[in-house]
Amino acid sequence: RANHWSNMEAMIEYVETVLDPNLASAREKLGHPASAKSISLLDSWSVHRGPFLEWLKENRPNILLVFVPAGCTSVFQPAD
C-alpha cells in the first residue's frame, strides 16, 4: 500500500485477515458456535459507515459494528 488510509479494499482485507481469524479463535476458546454474534468497535470515519457497512451486513451478518462517537476515539480506542 502506498499509504495507510483506510478504503473499501483495506477494510475487506482487515476483516478477512485480522478480524475473521481473531473472532474464530475467540469463539473456539470460549466454546461458542460459529454462528455466535461478535461486536467490532470502529471510529465514525466515512469509510466505515458507507459501502463497507453494507458489505459487512451482507457478508458477515454475525459481526455487529459499534461506532465510537466523533471526537471520542481517544477515549474508546486508546491505542489509536
Side-chain angles (χ1 to χ4, degrees):
R1 273 194 184 49
N3 63 49
H4 298 284
W5 287 98
S6 184
N7 58 31
M8 182 70 169
E9 179 184 345
M11 290 307 298
I12 291 172
E13 182 179 341
Y14 165 73
V15 169
E16 293 174 343
T17 62
V18 176
L19 199 55
D20 283 346
N22 281 285
L23 292 176
S25 176
R27 283 191 302 268
E28 183 179 338
K29 182 179 177 181
L30 296 169
H32 293 175
S35 61
K37 300 281 186 188
S38 300
I39 295 173
S40 181
L41 181 66
L42 293 174
D43 61 24
S44 297
W45 198 42
S46 61
V47 170
H48 302 152
R49 294 183 149 294
F52 170 70
L53 180 57
E54 296 307 315
W55 179 88
L56 194 70
K57 286 179 182 179
E58 184 175 317
N59 293 280
R60 302 295 192 282
N62 291 335
I63 299 176
L64 308 173
L65 289 183
V66 173
F67 293 101
V68 175
C72 297
T73 302
S74 64
V75 177
F76 291 102
Q77 291 179 300
D80 192 21

